[in-house]
Amino acid sequence: MQINLSNAVKFESRHNGPTEAEIAEMLEKIGASSLEELINQTVPESIQLERPLNLPAAQLESEFLKNFKKLASKNKVFKSYIGLGYYDTLVPNVVLRNVLENPGWYTAYTPYQAEIAQGRLEALINFQTVVMELTGMELANASLLDEGTASAEAMTMLHAVKPREKKNANKYFVDEKVFPQTKALLVTRAEPIGIELVFGPISALDLTDPELYGVMFQYPNMDGEVVDYSAIVASAKDNKVLTAFASDLLALTLLTSPGEMGADVVVGSAQRFGVPMGYGGPHSAFFATKDEFKRQIPGRIIGVSIDRAGNKAYRMALQTREQHIKREKATSNICTAQVLLAVMSNFYAVYHGPKGLKNIALRTHGLAKLTAKALTELGFEVSGKEFFDTLKVSVDSAAQAKIKELAEESKINFRFGEGTIFIAFDEAKTLEDATEVISLFANAKGESIPDVAILSENLSLELPESLIRKSEYLTHPVFNNYHSEHEMLRYIKKLESKDLSLVHSMISLGSCTMKLNATAEMIPVTWPEFGQLHPFAPIDQTEGYQELFENLRTWLTEITGFADTSLQPNSGAQGEYAGLMVIRAYHINRGEGHRNVALIPTSAHGTNPASAVMAGMKVVLVKCDEKGNIDIDDLKSKATEHKDDLSCLMVTYPSTHGVFEEAIQEICATIHQYGGQVYMDGANMNAQVGLTSPGRIGADVCHLNLHKTFCIPHGGGGPGMGPICVASHLAPFLPGNPLVKTGGDQAVSSISSAPYGSASILPISYAYIAMMGPDGLTNATKMAILNANYIKERLSGHYPILYTGSKGRAAHEMIVDCRSFKEVGVEVEDIAKRLMDYGYHAPTVSFPVAGTLMIEPTESETKAELDKFCDALLSIREEIREIEEGKADRVENVLKNAPHTAIMVLSGEWTMPYSREKAVFPISYVKEGKFWPTVRRIDSAYGDRNLVCSCIPVEEYVTETELA
């Protein structure tokens, strides 16, 4: 036997599921002679790429990791004292290994199917409880993207809920000591919707101004000061002015909460609760408010309800607030929560408990206090007597230059201002670190260091009584029972076991593209070279990141057929908004700022119209025809009608109905004819890569969901990234940042807090592209289309497939019509819940057409897995047929009672008219590895009527634990 020394296994063969033999079998089933014939029948020839992707050749997994380690080593990890909302933290190793590095947690989907997401939901309830109790507020959501965008959401929500007396007020006062990146985001969000921002010192605040509707403070502020705002808030209430605080959860373990001061909204970042800085993200931002604003609070809220047996169960509450339902009437386009990071912060709080958190806060404050005493003894002026972790030190230019030089030699980063140096302490700093800082300042003055041991004696919390927290927090057992690693590990695993994720089975959600998150892609995320960098570190310390950004921008630009890319938007919805703001800036630059009409097909994602409204645009809906395609006549009519004010068309391609519309180039040309721009929603990019591109179809800008097409995990409903790629005429307007140069020469203001969004997860997409190479990426797209059409053929004749292309093919997804089953009382929800008994998460339910399932397999699923899924759906179809034929009762049947839990079938007398085996082992493969839902079908309406968004009472918690 001949030996081939180059016979290494390509990453592509690990990522793409079907083998050559399986491909041949599937092609035979769908009636195509070759993969090329299938692609030509699916993707219109007029838009197919004329050349292969110009990307570097694929690397082997081992080769990539070796090369990427060299790139990572170009980042210099200095000790950071920069602050501004980003701090070093010590991630508990039990959380690092068992959550952040665990696919059981990071590959789960958004908890829309709550019965198989109870673990995540409990963790998020814990997170909400932490936020509510530390901020002193009545209600919190399940996290937002970052502190800056959360602050912007607060500004717009307060504008929406302002009292009747202030109905015409549009002025929002922002304390000048709010973080600079937050102020930049407020500017971005305020201007398109007519909010007038006023920045200034608190002394300039005029609460009697009839035009003023809201005020924002930072607590502690940018300079590190802790200010008692109680009197100002009370006066604001007297004048019908609403108040928002940006705050810090660790500080709030010691400080009087904003809620106790009377705040209306409290926002911030939970990053320092056990999530690495990661050069800017991802992190979970928090948003807490009053119960009266529960219908307006942005993002997702997790609530407590009951299941069919009356047991407590968790689910997403008040979903009627969501932009997918409210569309152009929504005040926010938020469609994600940073679930994985909120879960980490929850476990950080659970592991440390209230005493542990307070000790961390006291130690952090103590190091700052010690340093302040020492610097004062050295003759430096330290501003402010009331601070938590950040010192503002006044220095002359010579001293500042010397300290900067010494700091660089010691691999230390301070924040420098004009005549000032800021020093922010955190959990990861020690007495030795504080001593080193003091030594630097002493050396700069040529003096000996003060006696740190003496200065360390008798340190205590010496704040005014009004600022010292007296209220209790985190008294629930969950924050007091798991402080040993063994117990913590068991709690994490207990919650993980309740959730279905990609480690169990295919999750075939249409438009959500639940791809393989390969281990080699995930490994670099927790390397310190990527995780421990501050987003505002000097640029010369981030050469590895800069090389990564440059290469990734180049690759994504090539894949999309455009001219440039911004990596800043940190979610798909943020990418939509960024693209629209770039289009808006382009029109304004041309003297056509009046162009404000966005044409949006009725089939569009709910975030599309919500984003358009946020960008100051007027939404005009375009009809779809009976085949699900954009109605060309209606499009042309609307474009002509609004030609003088036409800003853009927002289009998803392939369409949300899973079809490559053949008229797409005509559609784009029509918009361009009237001076508009074409924004392409990149949700379905997994069907384009290597075959066609947004640039090829005639679009001007698109966003990419890196958590869909480019393999960043969904993380249970976040994290994500939504870079935008643009044609050359839009490149000058790509978004900037106030602290780090990014974007074009005429950059729009910031879209995310950090200059490169959630930078620490970009290595995942980088790794995917590098290891797949141009051929692998193109083959992945072909496999996704093949897998979708195979499912379509297997289901055809049993379920109606709603839309297909002109040659009868689906793109990468299809819509299965379940509406006819209503005749026998079966709803699409019943099918979704019954799939749980078969070990599957339901496809997308009732979007974009009510009463349907939208199915999207990915290229990573093998034929065997596709067949198991199809077998499950075909078995369910037989169960429906039993009802149709009168063999099963219309009310008491396996679909209506699904899902079936272990407690339901193993305890008590079995009274159902079908067997226990039929309930839980409906098909042979289920017996091999049964996934048990832990609760029965949840009553969401009950939970909305009786809204509870924090840990359930102790006595009920105990009962539930015993039942689990």
Side-chain angles (χ1 to χ4, degrees), residues 180-197:
Q181 69 271 22
T182 296
K183 288 189 278 194
L185 267 161
L186 293 174
V187 169
T188 308
R189 293 283 191 92
E191 200 266 331
I193 57 176
I195 292 176
E196 179 188 349
L197 286 175

Side-chain angles (χ1 to χ4, degrees), residues 424-711:
F425 286 90
D426 53 51
E427 173 193 18
K429 303 303 184 291
T430 63
L431 179 59
E432 290 73 20
D433 292 321
T435 304
E436 184 179 28
V437 169
I438 295 165
S439 179
L440 289 180
F441 279 78
N443 289 345
K445 269 203 164 186
E447 297 187 13
S448 59
I449 184 172
D451 191 326
V452 173
I454 293 176
L455 292 175
S456 300
E457 294 176 359
N458 301 318
L459 286 174
S460 62
L461 186 64
E462 298 174 313
L463 295 174
E465 276 298 305
S466 64
L467 286 172
I468 297 177
R469 181 167 195 138
K470 299 170 186 66
S471 55
E472 288 189 311
Y473 49 86
L474 307 187
T475 57
H476 193 279
V478 76
F479 301 108
N480 295 279
N481 286 347
Y482 305 110
H483 299 159
S484 73
E485 179 163 333
H486 218 154
E487 286 304 302
M488 188 66 200
L489 175 64
R490 287 167 178 161
Y491 182 58
I492 290 172
K493 288 297 178 181
K494 172 189 168 185
L495 297 194
E496 179 192 340
S497 68
K498 296 181 179 184
D499 285 20
L500 187 141
S501 67
L502 283 173
V503 307
H504 299 98
S505 56
M506 172 173 73
I507 300 178
S508 60
L509 285 148
S511 193
C512 291
T513 317
M514 296 290 290
K515 293 180 70 149
L516 167 70
N517 315 122
T519 307
E521 297 159 6
M522 299 301 297
I523 285 173
V525 171
T526 51
W527 288 351
E529 296 93 334
F530 291 122
Q532 292 180 11
L533 265 66
H534 193 287
F536 305 134
I539 203 77
D540 61 1
Q541 294 173 20
T542 65
E543 288 182 15
Y545 260 123
Q546 300 309 317
E547 184 176 332
L548 183 157
F549 298 150
E550 182 60 30
N551 288 341
L552 188 56
R553 283 176 54 209
T554 300
W555 298 346
L556 295 178
T557 300
E558 165 67 13
I559 288 167
T560 56
F562 281 134
D564 205 352
T565 294
S566 168
L567 300 173
Q568 189 177 121
N570 54 1
S571 80
Q574 291 289 94
E576 287 179 19
Y577 180 68
L580 293 174
M581 290 299 286
V582 164
I583 288 173
R584 182 176 180 274
Y586 167 75
H587 288 312
I588 291 173
N589 186 63
R590 288 164 52 89
E592 296 186 324
H594 61 276
R595 289 187 173 271
N596 68 343
V597 170
L599 301 183
I600 302 179
T602 55
S603 64
H605 297 101
T607 49
N608 285 183
S611 295
V613 170
M614 284 172 55
M617 295 183 184
K618 176 186 174 185
V619 173
V620 174
L621 297 178
V622 177
K623 297 176 185 175
C624 290
D625 62 23
E626 68 282 355
K627 295 182 179 179
N629 298 323
I630 293 174
D631 186 319
I632 303 297
D633 291 337
D634 191 53
L635 173 81
K636 290 183 175 180
S637 172
K638 300 281 175 60
T640 303
E641 179 185 353
H642 299 283
K643 64 181 187 297
D644 295 332
D645 298 317
L646 181 61
S647 174
C648 63
L649 167 73
M650 299 185 77
V651 61
T652 301
Y653 200 75
S655 75
T656 310
H657 293 133
V659 175
F660 282 95
E661 297 187 41
E662 297 187 4
I664 187 64
Q665 289 173 310
E666 180 185 358
I667 289 168
C668 293
T670 298
I671 301 304
H672 291 148
Q673 176 186 345
Y674 295 113
Q677 297 287 287
V678 176
Y679 172 89
M680 196 205 83
D681 185 314
N684 292 343
M685 195 67 196
N686 208 46
Q688 286 197 42
V689 178
L691 301 181
T692 183
S693 71
R696 180 80 168 110
I697 69 172
D700 300 286
V701 54
C702 76
H703 86 266
L704 299 172
N705 298 99
L706 296 189
H707 53 289
K708 296 182 182 181
T709 306
F710 296 96
C711 293

